[in-house]
Each structure stands twice: as C-alpha cells, then as structure tokens.
Coordinates of all heavy atoms in Angstrom, one line a residue:
M1 N -37.9 5.1 8.7 CA -36.5 5.1 8.4 C -35.7 4.8 9.6 O -35.7 5.7 10.5 CB -36.1 6.5 7.8 CG -35.8 6.5 6.3 SD -35.1 8.1 5.9 CE -34.8 7.7 4.2
P2 N -35.0 3.7 9.7 CA -34.2 3.5 10.9 C -33.0 4.4 11.0 O -32.5 4.9 10.0 CB -33.8 2.0 10.7 CG -34.0 1.7 9.3 CD -35.0 2.6 8.8
K3 N -32.6 4.6 12.3 CA -31.4 5.4 12.5 C -30.2 4.5 12.7 O -30.3 3.4 13.3 CB -31.6 6.3 13.7 CG -32.6 7.4 13.5 CD -32.5 8.4 14.7 CE -33.5 9.5 14.6 NZ -33.6 10.2 13.2
L4 N -29.0 4.9 12.2 CA -27.8 4.2 12.3 C -26.7 5.1 12.8 O -26.6 6.2 12.3 CB -27.5 3.6 10.9 CG -26.1 3.0 10.7 CD1 -25.9 1.7 11.7 CD2 -25.8 2.6 9.3
T5 N -25.9 4.7 13.8 CA -24.8 5.4 14.2 C -23.6 4.6 14.0 O -23.5 3.4 14.5 CB -24.9 5.8 15.7 OG1 -26.1 6.7 15.8 CG2 -23.7 6.6 16.2
I6 N -22.6 5.1 13.3 CA -21.3 4.4 13.1 C -20.3 5.3 13.8 O -20.2 6.5 13.5 CB -21.0 4.3 11.6 CG1 -22.1 3.6 10.8 CG2 -19.6 3.5 11.4 CD1 -21.9 3.5 9.3
I7 N -19.6 4.7 14.7 CA -18.6 5.4 15.5 C -17.2 5.1 14.9 O -16.8 4.0 15.0 CB -18.7 5.2 17.0 CG1 -20.1 5.5 17.5 CG2 -17.6 5.9 17.8 CD1 -20.4 5.2 18.9
A8 N -16.5 6.1 14.4 CA -15.2 5.9 13.9 C -14.2 5.6 15.0 O -14.5 5.8 16.1 CB -14.7 7.2 13.1
F9 N -13.0 5.1 14.5 CA -12.1 4.7 15.6 C -11.6 5.9 16.5 O -11.3 5.7 17.6 CB -10.8 4.1 14.9 CG -9.8 3.5 15.9 CD1 -10.2 2.4 16.6 CD2 -8.6 4.1 16.1 CE1 -9.3 1.9 17.6 CE2 -7.7 3.7 17.0 CZ -8.1 2.5 17.8
D10 N -11.6 7.1 15.9 CA -11.2 8.2 16.8 C -12.4 8.7 17.7 O -12.2 9.7 18.4 CB -10.7 9.4 15.9 CG -11.8 10.0 15.0 OD1 -13.0 9.7 15.2 OD2 -11.5 11.0 14.3
G11 N -13.5 8.0 17.6 CA -14.6 8.3 18.5 C -15.7 9.2 17.9 O -16.7 9.5 18.6
T12 N -15.4 9.7 16.6 CA -16.4 10.6 16.0 C -17.6 9.7 15.6 O -17.5 8.8 14.9 CB -15.8 11.2 14.7 OG1 -14.6 11.8 15.1 CG2 -16.7 12.2 14.1
P13 N -18.9 10.2 16.1 CA -20.0 9.5 15.7 C -20.6 10.0 14.4 O -20.6 11.3 14.2 CB -21.0 9.8 16.9 CG -20.5 11.1 17.4 CD -19.1 11.2 17.1
Y14 N -21.0 9.1 13.6 CA -21.7 9.5 12.3 C -23.1 8.9 12.3 O -23.3 7.7 12.5 CB -20.9 8.9 11.1 CG -19.6 9.4 10.9 CD1 -18.5 9.0 11.6 CD2 -19.3 10.4 9.8 CE1 -17.2 9.5 11.4 CE2 -18.1 10.9 9.6 CZ -17.0 10.4 10.4 OH -15.8 11.0 10.2
D15 N -24.1 9.8 12.3 CA -25.4 9.4 12.5 C -26.2 9.6 11.2 O -26.1 10.7 10.5 CB -26.2 10.4 13.5 CG -25.6 10.3 14.9 OD1 -25.4 9.1 15.4 OD2 -25.2 11.3 15.5
F16 N -27.0 8.6 10.8 CA -27.8 8.6 9.6 C -29.2 8.1 9.8 O -29.4 7.2 10.6 CB -27.1 7.7 8.5 CG -25.6 8.0 8.4 CD1 -24.7 7.0 8.8 CD2 -25.1 9.1 7.9 CE1 -23.4 7.1 8.7 CE2 -23.8 9.3 7.7 CZ -22.9 8.3 8.1
D17 N -30.1 8.6 9.0 CA -31.4 8.0 8.7 C -31.2 7.2 7.5 O -30.7 7.7 6.4 CB -32.5 9.0 8.5 CG -32.7 9.8 9.7 OD1 -32.8 9.2 10.8 OD2 -32.9 11.1 9.6
V18 N -31.4 5.8 7.6 CA -31.1 5.0 6.4 C -32.3 4.3 5.9 O -33.4 4.2 6.5 CB -30.0 4.0 6.8 CG1 -28.8 4.7 7.4 CG2 -30.5 3.0 7.9
Q19 N -32.2 3.7 4.7 CA -33.3 3.0 4.1 C -33.3 1.6 4.6 O -32.3 0.9 4.8 CB -33.0 2.9 2.5 CG -32.9 4.2 1.8 CD -34.2 4.8 1.6 OE1 -35.3 4.1 1.6 NE2 -34.3 6.1 1.4
N20 N -34.6 1.1 4.8 CA -34.7 -0.3 5.1 C -34.1 -1.1 4.0 O -34.3 -0.8 2.8 CB -36.2 -0.6 5.3 CG -36.7 -0.4 6.7 OD1 -36.0 -0.6 7.7 ND2 -37.9 0.1 6.8
G21 N -33.4 -2.1 4.3 CA -32.8 -3.0 3.3 C -31.4 -2.6 2.9 O -30.7 -3.4 2.3
S22 N -31.0 -1.4 3.2 CA -29.6 -1.0 2.9 C -28.7 -1.7 4.0 O -29.1 -2.0 5.1 CB -29.5 0.5 3.0 OG -29.6 1.0 4.3
T23 N -27.4 -1.9 3.6 CA -26.5 -2.5 4.6 C -25.8 -1.4 5.3 O -25.7 -0.3 4.8 CB -25.6 -3.4 3.9 OG1 -24.6 -2.7 3.1 CG2 -26.3 -4.5 3.1
V24 N -25.2 -1.8 6.5 CA -24.5 -0.8 7.3 C -23.2 -0.4 6.5 O -22.9 0.8 6.4 CB -23.9 -1.5 8.6 CG1 -23.0 -0.6 9.3 CG2 -25.1 -1.8 9.5
M25 N -22.6 -1.3 5.7 CA -21.5 -1.0 4.8 C -21.8 0.0 3.8 O -21.2 1.0 3.6 CB -21.0 -2.3 4.2 CG -19.8 -2.0 3.2 SD -20.3 -1.4 1.6 CE -20.7 -3.0 0.8
E26 N -23.0 -0.2 3.1 CA -23.4 0.8 2.1 C -23.5 2.2 2.6 O -23.1 3.2 2.0 CB -24.7 0.4 1.4 CG -24.6 -0.8 0.5 CD -25.9 -1.5 0.2 OE1 -26.9 -1.1 0.8 OE2 -25.9 -2.4 -0.7
N27 N -24.1 2.3 3.8 CA -24.3 3.7 4.4 C -22.9 4.2 4.8 O -22.7 5.4 4.7 CB -25.3 3.5 5.6 CG -26.6 3.3 5.1 OD1 -27.3 4.1 4.6 ND2 -27.1 2.0 5.3
A28 N -22.0 3.4 5.3 CA -20.7 3.9 5.7 C -19.9 4.4 4.5 O -19.4 5.5 4.5 CB -19.9 2.7 6.3
V29 N -19.9 3.7 3.4 CA -19.2 4.0 2.2 C -19.8 5.3 1.6 O -19.1 6.3 1.2 CB -19.2 2.9 1.2 CG1 -18.7 3.3 -0.2 CG2 -18.3 1.7 1.7
R30 N -21.2 5.3 1.4 CA -21.9 6.4 0.9 C -21.6 7.7 1.6 O -21.5 8.8 1.0 CB -23.4 6.1 0.9 CG -24.2 7.0 0.0 CD -25.7 6.6 0.0 NE -25.9 5.2 -0.5 CZ -26.7 4.3 0.0 NH1 -27.4 4.6 1.1 NH2 -26.8 3.2 -0.5
N31 N -21.4 7.6 2.8 CA -21.1 8.8 3.7 C -19.6 9.0 4.1 O -19.4 9.8 4.9 CB -22.0 8.8 4.9 CG -23.5 8.8 4.5 OD1 -24.0 9.9 4.2 ND2 -24.2 7.7 4.6
S32 N -18.8 8.3 3.4 CA -17.3 8.4 3.6 C -16.9 8.3 5.0 O -16.1 9.1 5.6 CB -16.8 9.7 3.0 OG -17.2 9.8 1.7
V33 N -17.5 7.3 5.8 CA -17.1 7.1 7.1 C -15.6 6.5 7.1 O -15.4 5.5 6.4 CB -18.0 6.1 7.9 CG1 -17.5 5.8 9.3 CG2 -19.4 6.8 8.0
P34 N -14.7 7.1 7.8 CA -13.3 6.6 7.7 C -13.2 5.2 8.3 O -13.7 4.9 9.3 CB -12.4 7.6 8.4 CG -13.4 8.4 9.3 CD -14.8 8.3 8.6
G35 N -12.4 4.3 7.6 CA -12.1 3.0 8.2 C -12.9 1.9 7.7 O -12.6 0.7 8.0
V36 N -13.9 2.2 6.9 CA -14.7 1.1 6.3 C -14.3 1.0 4.8 O -14.7 1.9 4.0 CB -16.2 1.3 6.4 CG1 -17.0 0.1 5.8 CG2 -16.5 1.3 7.9
E37 N -13.5 0.1 4.4 CA -13.0 0.0 3.0 C -13.9 -0.7 2.1 O -14.1 -0.3 0.9 CB -11.6 -0.6 3.0 CG -10.6 0.3 3.8 CD -9.3 -0.4 4.1 OE1 -9.0 -1.5 3.5 OE2 -8.5 0.1 5.0
A38 N -14.4 -1.9 2.4 CA -15.3 -2.6 1.6 C -14.8 -2.9 0.2 O -15.5 -2.6 -0.8 CB -16.7 -1.8 1.6
E39 N -13.6 -3.4 0.1 CA -13.1 -3.6 -1.2 C -13.9 -4.5 -2.2 O -13.8 -4.4 -3.3 CB -11.7 -4.3 -1.0 CG -10.6 -3.3 -0.5 CD -9.3 -3.9 -0.1 OE1 -9.1 -5.1 -0.3 OE2 -8.5 -3.2 0.5
C40 N -14.6 -5.5 -1.7 CA -15.3 -6.4 -2.5 C -16.7 -5.9 -2.9 O -17.4 -6.6 -3.6 CB -15.4 -7.8 -2.0 SG -16.6 -8.0 -0.7
G41 N -17.1 -4.7 -2.3 CA -18.3 -4.1 -2.7 C -19.5 -4.9 -2.1 O -20.7 -4.7 -2.5
G42 N -19.3 -5.6 -1.1 CA -20.5 -6.2 -0.4 C -20.7 -7.7 -0.7 O -21.8 -8.2 -0.3
A43 N -19.7 -8.3 -1.2 CA -19.9 -9.8 -1.7 C -19.5 -10.7 -0.6 O -19.4 -12.0 -0.8 CB -19.2 -10.0 -2.9
C44 N -19.2 -10.2 0.6 CA -18.7 -11.1 1.7 C -17.4 -11.9 1.3 O -17.3 -13.0 1.5 CB -19.8 -12.1 2.1 SG -19.5 -12.8 3.8
A45 N -16.5 -11.1 0.6 CA -15.4 -11.8 0.1 C -14.1 -11.0 0.4 O -13.1 -11.2 -0.3 CB -15.5 -11.9 -1.4
C46 N -14.1 -10.1 1.4 CA -12.9 -9.4 1.6 C -12.6 -9.1 3.1 O -11.4 -9.0 3.4 CB -12.9 -8.0 0.8 SG -14.0 -6.7 1.6
A47 N -13.6 -8.9 3.9 CA -13.4 -8.7 5.4 C -12.9 -7.3 5.6 O -12.5 -7.0 6.7 CB -12.6 -9.7 6.0
T48 N -12.9 -6.4 4.6 CA -12.5 -5.0 4.9 C -13.6 -4.0 5.2 O -13.5 -2.9 5.2 CB -11.6 -4.4 3.8 OG1 -12.5 -4.3 2.6 CG2 -10.4 -5.3 3.5
C49 N -14.7 -4.6 5.6 CA -15.9 -3.9 6.1 C -16.2 -4.2 7.6 O -17.3 -4.0 8.0 CB -17.1 -4.0 5.2 SG -17.8 -5.8 5.3
H50 N -15.2 -4.8 8.2 CA -15.3 -5.3 9.6 C -15.7 -4.2 10.5 O -15.2 -3.1 10.5 CB -14.0 -5.9 10.0 CG -13.9 -6.3 11.4 ND1 -12.7 -6.3 12.1 CD2 -14.7 -6.8 12.3 CE1 -12.8 -6.8 13.3 NE2 -14.1 -7.1 13.4
V51 N -16.7 -4.4 11.4 CA -17.1 -3.5 12.4 C -17.4 -4.3 13.7 O -17.6 -5.5 13.7 CB -18.4 -2.7 12.1 CG1 -18.1 -1.8 10.9 CG2 -19.6 -3.6 11.9
Y52 N -17.4 -3.6 14.9 CA -17.8 -4.2 16.1 C -19.3 -3.7 16.4 O -19.5 -2.5 16.4 CB -17.0 -3.8 17.3 CG -15.5 -4.2 17.0 CD1 -14.5 -3.1 17.0 CD2 -15.1 -5.5 16.9 CE1 -13.2 -3.5 16.8 CE2 -13.8 -5.8 16.7 CZ -12.8 -4.8 16.6 OH -11.5 -5.1 16.5
V53 N -20.2 -4.6 16.5 CA -21.6 -4.2 16.9 C -21.6 -3.8 18.4 O -20.9 -4.5 19.2 CB -22.6 -5.4 16.7 CG1 -24.0 -5.0 17.2 CG2 -22.6 -5.8 15.2
D54 N -22.2 -2.7 18.7 CA -22.2 -2.2 20.0 C -22.8 -3.3 20.9 O -23.7 -4.0 20.6 CB -23.1 -0.9 20.1 CG -22.9 -0.2 21.5 OD1 -21.9 0.6 21.6 OD2 -23.7 -0.5 22.4
E55 N -22.2 -3.5 22.2 CA -22.7 -4.5 23.0 C -24.2 -4.6 23.2 O -24.8 -5.7 23.2 CB -22.0 -4.4 24.4 CG -20.6 -4.4 24.5 CD -20.0 -5.9 24.5 OE1 -20.9 -6.8 24.7 OE2 -18.8 -6.1 24.4
A56 N -24.8 -3.4 23.3 CA -26.2 -3.3 23.6 C -27.1 -3.9 22.4 O -28.2 -4.2 22.6 CB -26.6 -1.8 23.8
W57 N -26.4 -3.9 21.2 CA -27.2 -4.4 20.0 C -26.7 -5.8 19.6 O -27.4 -6.3 18.7 CB -26.9 -3.4 18.9 CG -27.7 -2.2 19.1 CD1 -27.4 -1.0 19.6 CD2 -29.1 -2.0 18.6 NE1 -28.4 -0.2 19.6 CE2 -29.5 -0.8 19.0 CE3 -30.0 -2.9 18.0 CZ2 -30.7 -0.3 18.7 CZ3 -31.3 -2.4 17.7 CH2 -31.7 -1.2 18.1
S58 N -25.8 -6.3 20.2 CA -25.2 -7.6 19.7 C -26.3 -8.7 19.6 O -26.3 -9.4 18.6 CB -24.1 -8.0 20.7 OG -23.3 -9.0 20.1
A59 N -27.0 -8.9 20.7 CA -28.0 -10.0 20.6 C -29.1 -9.8 19.5 O -29.5 -10.7 18.8 CB -28.7 -10.1 22.0
T60 N -29.5 -8.5 19.4 CA -30.5 -8.2 18.3 C -30.0 -8.4 17.0 O -30.7 -8.9 16.1 CB -30.9 -6.7 18.5 OG1 -31.3 -6.5 19.8 CG2 -32.2 -6.5 17.6
V61 N -28.8 -8.0 16.7 CA -28.2 -8.2 15.4 C -27.9 -9.7 15.0 O -28.1 -10.1 13.9 CB -26.8 -7.4 15.2 CG1 -26.1 -7.7 13.9 CG2 -27.1 -5.9 15.3
G62 N -27.5 -10.3 16.1 CA -27.3 -11.8 16.0 C -25.9 -12.2 15.4 O -25.0 -11.3 15.2
A63 N -25.7 -13.4 15.3 CA -24.3 -14.0 15.0 C -24.3 -14.1 13.4 O -25.2 -14.1 12.7 CB -24.2 -15.4 15.6
P64 N -23.0 -14.1 12.9 CA -22.8 -14.2 11.5 C -23.2 -15.6 11.0 O -23.1 -16.6 11.7 CB -21.3 -13.9 11.3 CG -20.7 -14.2 12.7 CD -21.8 -13.9 13.7
E65 N -23.5 -15.6 9.7 CA -23.8 -16.9 9.1 C -22.4 -17.5 8.7 O -21.4 -16.9 8.8 CB -24.7 -16.8 7.9 CG -26.0 -16.4 8.3 CD -27.1 -16.4 7.1 OE1 -26.7 -16.8 6.0 OE2 -28.2 -16.1 7.4
A66 N -22.4 -18.8 8.3 CA -21.2 -19.6 8.1 C -20.2 -18.9 7.2 O -19.0 -18.8 7.5 CB -21.5 -21.0 7.6
M67 N -20.7 -18.4 6.1 CA -19.8 -17.8 5.1 C -19.1 -16.5 5.6 O -17.9 -16.3 5.4 CB -20.6 -17.4 3.9 CG -19.9 -16.9 2.7 SD -21.0 -16.7 1.3 CE -20.1 -15.6 0.3
E68 N -19.9 -15.7 6.3 CA -19.4 -14.5 7.0 C -18.3 -14.9 8.1 O -17.3 -14.2 8.2 CB -20.5 -13.7 7.6 CG -20.0 -12.4 8.2 CD -21.1 -11.6 8.9 OE1 -22.3 -11.9 8.6 OE2 -20.8 -10.7 9.7
E69 N -18.7 -15.9 8.8 CA -17.8 -16.4 9.9 C -16.4 -16.8 9.3 O -15.4 -16.4 9.9 CB -18.5 -17.6 10.5 CG -17.7 -18.1 11.7 CD -18.3 -17.8 13.1 OE1 -19.5 -18.1 13.2 OE2 -17.7 -17.1 13.8
D70 N -16.5 -17.5 8.2 CA -15.2 -17.9 7.6 C -14.4 -16.7 7.2 O -13.2 -16.6 7.3 CB -15.5 -18.7 6.3 CG -16.0 -20.2 6.7 OD1 -15.9 -20.5 8.0 OD2 -16.4 -20.9 5.8
M71 N -15.1 -15.7 6.6 CA -14.4 -14.5 6.0 C -13.9 -13.7 7.2 O -12.8 -13.0 7.1 CB -15.4 -13.7 5.2 CG -14.8 -12.7 4.3 SD -13.4 -13.2 3.3 CE -14.1 -14.5 2.4
L72 N -14.6 -13.6 8.4 CA -14.1 -12.9 9.5 C -12.7 -13.4 10.0 O -12.0 -12.6 10.7 CB -15.1 -13.0 10.7 CG -16.2 -11.9 10.7 CD1 -17.2 -12.3 11.7 CD2 -15.6 -10.5 11.0
D73 N -12.4 -14.6 9.7 CA -11.0 -15.1 10.0 C -9.9 -14.2 9.4 O -8.8 -14.2 9.9 CB -10.8 -16.5 9.5 CG -11.7 -17.5 10.3 OD1 -12.2 -17.2 11.4 OD2 -11.8 -18.6 9.8
F74 N -10.2 -13.5 8.4 CA -9.3 -12.6 7.7 C -9.3 -11.2 8.2 O -8.5 -10.4 7.8 CB -9.5 -12.6 6.2 CG -9.3 -14.0 5.6 CD1 -10.5 -14.8 5.3 CD2 -8.1 -14.5 5.2 CE1 -10.3 -16.1 4.8 CE2 -7.9 -15.7 4.6 CZ -9.0 -16.5 4.4
A75 N -10.2 -10.9 9.1 CA -10.3 -9.6 9.7 C -9.2 -9.3 10.8 O -8.8 -10.3 11.4 CB -11.7 -9.3 10.2
Y76 N -9.0 -8.1 11.0 CA -8.0 -7.7 12.1 C -8.7 -7.6 13.4 O -9.7 -6.9 13.5 CB -7.3 -6.3 11.7 CG -6.5 -5.7 12.7 CD1 -5.2 -6.2 12.9 CD2 -7.0 -4.6 13.4 CE1 -4.4 -5.6 13.9 CE2 -6.1 -4.0 14.5 CZ -4.9 -4.5 14.7 OH -4.1 -4.0 15.6
D77 N -8.0 -8.2 14.5 CA -8.5 -8.0 15.8 C -10.1 -8.3 16.0 O -10.8 -7.5 16.4 CB -8.3 -6.6 16.4 CG -8.4 -6.5 17.8 OD1 -8.3 -7.5 18.6 OD2 -8.5 -5.4 18.3
V78 N -10.4 -9.6 15.6 CA -11.7 -10.0 15.7 C -12.2 -10.2 17.2 O -11.4 -10.7 18.0 CB -11.9 -11.3 14.9 CG1 -13.3 -11.9 15.1 CG2 -11.6 -11.1 13.5
K79 N -13.3 -9.8 17.5 CA -13.9 -9.9 18.9 C -15.3 -10.6 18.8 O -15.8 -10.8 17.7 CB -14.1 -8.5 19.5 CG -12.8 -7.8 19.7 CD -13.0 -6.4 20.2 CE -11.6 -5.6 20.3 NZ -11.8 -4.3 20.7
P80 N -15.9 -11.0 19.9 CA -17.2 -11.6 19.9 C -18.3 -10.8 19.2 O -19.2 -11.4 18.7 CB -17.5 -11.9 21.4 CG -16.1 -11.9 22.1 CD -15.3 -11.0 21.3
T81 N -18.1 -9.5 19.2 CA -19.1 -8.7 18.6 C -18.8 -8.3 17.2 O -19.5 -7.5 16.6 CB -19.3 -7.3 19.4 OG1 -18.0 -6.7 19.5 CG2 -19.8 -7.6 20.8
S82 N -17.7 -8.9 16.6 CA -17.3 -8.6 15.2 C -18.4 -9.0 14.2 O -18.9 -10.2 14.3 CB -16.0 -9.3 14.9 OG -15.0 -8.7 15.6
R83 N -18.6 -8.2 13.2 CA -19.5 -8.6 12.0 C -18.9 -7.9 10.8 O -18.2 -6.9 10.9 CB -20.9 -8.1 12.3 CG -21.7 -8.8 13.3 CD -22.1 -10.3 12.9 NE -22.6 -10.4 11.6 CZ -23.9 -10.4 11.4 NH1 -24.8 -10.4 12.4 NH2 -24.4 -10.6 10.1
L84 N -19.2 -8.4 9.7 CA -18.9 -7.7 8.4 C -20.2 -6.9 8.1 O -21.3 -7.3 8.0 CB -18.7 -8.7 7.3 CG -17.5 -9.6 7.5 CD1 -17.3 -10.6 6.4 CD2 -16.1 -8.8 7.7
S85 N -19.9 -5.6 8.0 CA -21.0 -4.6 7.9 C -21.8 -4.7 6.6 O -23.0 -4.3 6.5 CB -20.5 -3.1 8.1 OG -19.5 -2.8 7.1
C86 N -21.2 -5.4 5.6 CA -22.0 -5.6 4.4 C -23.1 -6.7 4.6 O -23.9 -6.9 3.7 CB -21.1 -5.9 3.2 SG -20.3 -7.6 3.3
Q87 N -23.0 -7.4 5.7 CA -23.9 -8.5 5.9 C -25.0 -8.1 7.0 O -25.7 -8.9 7.4 CB -23.2 -9.8 6.4 CG -22.1 -10.2 5.4 CD -22.7 -10.5 4.0 OE1 -23.6 -11.4 3.9 NE2 -22.3 -9.9 3.0
I88 N -25.0 -6.8 7.4 CA -26.0 -6.4 8.3 C -27.0 -5.4 7.5 O -26.6 -4.4 7.2 CB -25.4 -5.6 9.5 CG1 -24.3 -6.4 10.2 CG2 -26.5 -5.1 10.5 CD1 -23.6 -5.6 11.3
K89 N -28.2 -6.0 7.4 CA -29.2 -5.2 6.6 C -30.1 -4.4 7.6 O -30.6 -5.0 8.6 CB -30.1 -6.2 5.9 CG -29.6 -6.4 4.5 CD -30.8 -6.8 3.6 CE -30.3 -6.9 2.2 NZ -30.2 -8.2 1.7
M90 N -30.2 -3.1 7.3 CA -31.0 -2.3 8.2 C -32.5 -2.5 8.1 O -33.0 -2.9 7.0 CB -30.7 -0.8 7.9 CG -29.3 -0.4 8.3 SD -28.9 -0.7 10.1 CE -30.1 0.4 10.9
S91 N -33.2 -2.4 9.2 CA -34.6 -2.6 9.2 C -35.1 -1.9 10.4 O -34.4 -1.5 11.3 CB -35.0 -4.1 9.4 OG -34.4 -4.6 10.6
D92 N -36.4 -1.8 10.6 CA -37.0 -1.2 11.7 C -36.6 -1.8 13.0 O -36.5 -1.2 14.1 CB -38.6 -1.1 11.6 CG -39.0 -0.2 10.5 OD1 -38.2 0.7 10.1 OD2 -40.1 -0.4 10.0
R93 N -36.3 -3.1 12.9 CA -35.9 -3.9 14.1 C -34.6 -3.4 14.6 O -34.2 -3.5 15.7 CB -35.8 -5.3 13.7 CG -35.8 -6.4 14.8 CD -35.9 -7.8 14.3 NE -34.7 -8.0 13.5 CZ -33.6 -8.7 14.1 NH1 -33.6 -9.0 15.4 NH2 -32.6 -8.9 13.3
L94 N -33.8 -2.8 13.7 CA -32.4 -2.3 14.1 C -32.4 -0.8 14.2 O -31.3 -0.2 14.2 CB -31.4 -2.8 13.0 CG -31.2 -4.3 12.9 CD1 -30.0 -4.6 11.9 CD2 -30.9 -4.9 14.2
D95 N -33.5 -0.2 14.4 CA -33.6 1.3 14.5 C -32.8 1.7 15.7 O -33.1 1.3 16.8 CB -35.1 1.7 14.7 CG -35.3 3.2 14.7 OD1 -34.4 3.9 14.3 OD2 -36.3 3.7 15.2
G96 N -31.8 2.6 15.5 CA -30.9 3.0 16.6 C -29.6 2.3 16.7 O -28.8 2.5 17.6
L97 N -29.4 1.3 15.8 CA -28.2 0.5 15.8 C -26.9 1.4 15.9 O -26.8 2.4 15.3 CB -28.1 -0.4 14.6 CG -26.8 -1.2 14.4 CD1 -26.8 -2.3 15.5 CD2 -26.8 -1.8 13.0
V98 N -26.0 0.8 16.7 CA -24.7 1.5 16.9 C -23.6 0.4 16.6 O -23.6 -0.7 17.1 CB -24.5 2.0 18.4 CG1 -23.1 2.7 18.5 CG2 -25.6 3.0 18.7
V99 N -22.7 0.8 15.7 CA -21.5 0.0 15.4 C -20.3 0.8 15.5 O -20.3 2.0 15.3 CB -21.6 -0.7 14.0 CG1 -22.9 -1.5 13.9 CG2 -21.4 0.2 12.9
H100 N -19.2 0.1 15.8 CA -17.8 0.8 16.0 C -16.8 0.3 14.9 O -16.8 -0.9 14.7 CB -17.3 0.5 17.4 CG -18.2 0.8 18.5 ND1 -18.1 2.0 19.2 CD2 -19.3 0.2 19.0 CE1 -19.0 2.0 20.2 NE2 -19.8 1.0 20.0
V101 N -16.1 1.2 14.4 CA -15.1 0.9 13.4 C -13.8 0.5 14.1 O -13.4 1.1 15.0 CB -14.9 2.1 12.4 CG1 -13.7 1.8 11.4 CG2 -16.2 2.5 11.7
P102 N -13.2 -0.6 13.6 CA -12.0 -1.0 14.3 C -10.8 -0.1 14.0 O -10.9 0.7 13.1 CB -11.7 -2.4 13.7 CG -12.5 -2.5 12.4 CD -13.6 -1.5 12.6
E103 N -9.7 -0.4 14.7 CA -8.5 0.5 14.4 C -8.0 0.5 13.0 O -7.6 1.5 12.4 CB -7.3 0.0 15.4 CG -6.1 0.8 15.3 CD -5.0 0.3 16.2 OE1 -5.2 -0.7 16.8 OE2 -4.0 1.1 16.3
R104 N -8.1 -0.7 12.4 CA -7.7 -0.8 11.0 C -8.4 -2.1 10.4 O -8.8 -2.9 11.1 CB -6.2 -0.8 10.7 CG -5.5 -2.1 11.3 CD -4.0 -2.0 10.9 NE -3.2 -3.0 11.6 CZ -3.1 -4.3 11.1 NH1 -3.7 -4.6 10.0 NH2 -2.4 -5.1 11.7
Q105 N -8.5 -2.1 9.1 CA -8.9 -3.3 8.4 C -7.8 -4.2 8.1 O -6.6 -3.8 8.2 CB -9.7 -2.9 7.1 CG -10.9 -2.0 7.3 CD -12.1 -2.7 8.0 OE1 -12.1 -4.0 8.1 NE2 -13.0 -1.9 8.6
A106 N -8.1 -5.4 7.8 CA -7.0 -6.4 7.6 C -6.1 -6.0 6.4 O -6.6 -5.4 5.5 CB -7.6 -7.8 7.3
Ligands
FES1 S1 -17.5 -5.5 1.7 FE1 -16.2 -7.2 1.4 S2 -16.8 -8.5 2.9 FE2 -18.0 -6.8 3.3

C-alpha cells in the first residue's frame, strides 16, 4: 500500500495509505482534503483537481499527457510541477508521493 501525503494550502499535511490504482484526486475527495474540488469526477474535464507535485517527485510522476495539458490551461496559477490529481494513479513506484494543494481552484 503506497503512502500519499497531500499538503493543504494552509500547510496542514494529510497522510494516507492508499490503494494501488487509486488516483490522488480520489483519495483527496474521499478524505475531505480542503481545496480539491474535482467537479468532473475524474474525467479530465474540469481542472478543479489541480495540485503541485512536490519538486522531489516531479520527475518520477512525469509530465501530463496532451489532454491533461490542454485542461491545465484552465487551472489557476499553473507552474511547471502542476498536474491534475485525477490523472495521477498511485502505485508502489509513487510510494511516499507528496503533492501540494494550490491557493484556489480555477
Ligand atoms: S476531477 Fe476534473 S479534471 Fe480532475
């Protein structure tokens, strides 16, 4: 079971043991992490599940695919480490992943 840490905008860390195959967004919503709205339910069609992947994890998580990249144009304050959390699937490779919630969603 990989571990996932989601750090809310106020700096509060939320730590979880998560299922392989679950997305970062699903875990955020299930545990009521503030600031992850996920209006489209994970269809890569809203950009309200925007997070910043921690610098230390950025290379491992990798870049968004074209569809996610297009949708990120609608997110607020996009940075090089920006991803849509519904498009990050947890796996043993991502054990210990840390992501940060932005100040607000678009
Ligand atoms: S939940 Fe809508 S794009 Fe991720």
Side-chain angles (χ1 to χ4, degrees):
M1 250 190 179
K3 289 193 183 309
L4 167 65
T5 298
I6 304 174
I7 301 179
F9 184 69
D10 69 1
T12 306
Y14 292 79
D15 297 310
F16 311 111
D17 293 318
V18 303
Q19 298 287 337
N20 274 324
S22 66
T23 68
V24 171
M25 176 280 276
E26 286 165 348
N27 290 290
V29 169
R30 192 175 300 139
N31 294 287
S32 303
V33 176
V36 179
E37 295 168 14
E39 281 169 13
C40 79
C44 197
C46 74
T48 62
C49 64
H50 175 210
V51 296
Y52 303 117
V53 174
D54 194 85
E55 297 278 351
W57 281 95
S58 195
T60 309
V61 172
E65 292 188 3
M67 187 175 157
E68 181 185 345
E69 184 104 60
D70 288 348
M71 197 46 61
L72 269 170
D73 288 344
F74 297 95
Y76 171 77
D77 195 17
V78 175
K79 298 178 181 175
T81 56
S82 288
R83 291 291 310 266
L84 296 180
S85 59
C86 68
Q87 302 301 303
I88 305 175
K89 269 209 173 102
M90 292 303 297
S91 64
D92 291 335
R93 202 173 65 90
L94 296 185
D95 183 20
L97 176 65
V98 179
V99 303
H100 304 260
V101 177
E103 182 178 7
R104 65 178 172 84
Q105 298 292 342

